Amino acid sequence: MNHSDAIRHLFEESISTKQTAGAELAEPISQAVNLMLTAIKDGKKILSCGNGGSAADAQHFAAEMVCRFERERPGMPAIALTTDTSALTAISNDYGYTKVFAKQVQALGVEDDILLAISTSGNSDSIVEAVKAAQEKKMSVIALTGRNGGEMAKLLDINDIEIRVPSDSTARIQEVHLLTIHCLCHQIDETLFG
């Protein structure tokens, strides 16, 4: 297979995954939008975290909320827990990497805030610990996962929402996570400022 054929195949795989995900995930994404809208209207904030590509997604979400998405509007309270290098390195050094986000949730989160926890496998120890910390603070969790949902899925309770991409491919899961983030931002903007 030459490069062009391989690239076309990757596009086709991505499209197919998104079509399947669109049918399965519209309802949980809608529920997540409503949860976020309630938090924002109540003066609460959204904390986001992930590792690697999921860290980039966490930052992408927070930037879209604080700055803007597709329309001019006031910023909304969101913080990516992946960006403060002093906190990240201090926590990792003193407590181990598994606590890197949990310690920040404990310090910054308050009851009825939301944690947007992103892990393609659902098994990232640092994200699992963040979910536990959020639940201890009586925060709701919106989990972006894939595969079988991993350990994160087992932790979620009635107040939490899982958006599980129906794929085993990390790349395809990440692509749907990004689209999900754009759906969240779009619907929040449309509801509050449309």
Side-chain angles (χ1 to χ4, degrees):
M1 186 180 290
N2 65 35
H3 293 308
S4 295
D5 289 342
I7 290 165
R8 275 190 284 275
H9 178 71
L10 290 171
F11 269 82
E12 289 163 6
E13 277 188 358
S14 182
I15 291 164
S16 176
T17 303
K18 287 175 181 163
Q19 287 175 325
T20 302
E24 291 185 24
L25 301 182
E27 186 54 34
I29 293 171
S30 177
Q31 292 169 358
V33 168
N34 288 329
L35 192 61
M36 289 181 170
L37 285 167
T38 298
I40 292 164
K41 288 175 183 175
D42 290 345
K44 302 300 180 178
K45 64 189 169 297
I46 303 165
L47 305 178
S48 58
C49 61
N51 294 295
S54 297
D57 287 342
Q59 290 168 214
H60 187 143
F61 173 79
E64 302 284 26
M65 294 293 286
V66 170
C67 181
R68 67 181 192 126
F69 184 53
E70 292 185 320
R71 68 175 64 221
E72 291 300 325
R73 47 103 168 128
M76 290 178 272
I79 302 169
L81 303 179
T82 55
T83 59
D84 183 343
T85 55
S86 294
L88 294 171
T89 55
I91 296 165
S92 294
N93 185 64
D94 294 354
Y95 297 95
Y97 190 78
T98 59
K99 298 294 184 185
V100 72
F101 303 124
K103 291 288 285 181
Q104 293 183 77
V105 169
Q106 291 163 349
L108 301 172
V110 298
E111 187 172 346
D112 296 328
D113 278 351
I114 294 173
L115 176 68
L116 178 62
I118 309 171
S119 170
T120 59
S121 68
N123 289 320
S124 301
D125 291 338
S126 60
I127 307 302
V128 168
E129 291 300 313
V131 168
K132 291 176 184 175
Q135 291 173 330
E136 287 170 11
K137 299 286 280 194
K138 297 185 178 171
M139 297 168 58
S140 294
V141 176
I142 297 171
L144 299 188
T145 66
R147 297 185 178 86
N148 67 359
E151 290 302 310
M152 283 171 58
K154 296 174 188 173
L155 292 174
L156 302 179
D157 65 29
I158 191 106
N159 300 314
D160 302 325
I161 298 167
E162 183 184 16
I163 301 170
R164 184 188 301 177
V165 179
S167 176
D168 291 322
S169 165
T170 298
R172 301 296 82 81
I173 295 166
Q174 288 177 328
E175 289 160 5
V176 176
H177 282 178
L178 178 56
L179 180 55
T180 298
I181 286 165
H182 284 170
C183 289
L184 294 168
C185 294
H186 181 271
Q187 290 308 115
I188 289 168
D189 278 12
E190 285 296 306
T191 304
L192 293 178
F193 306 103

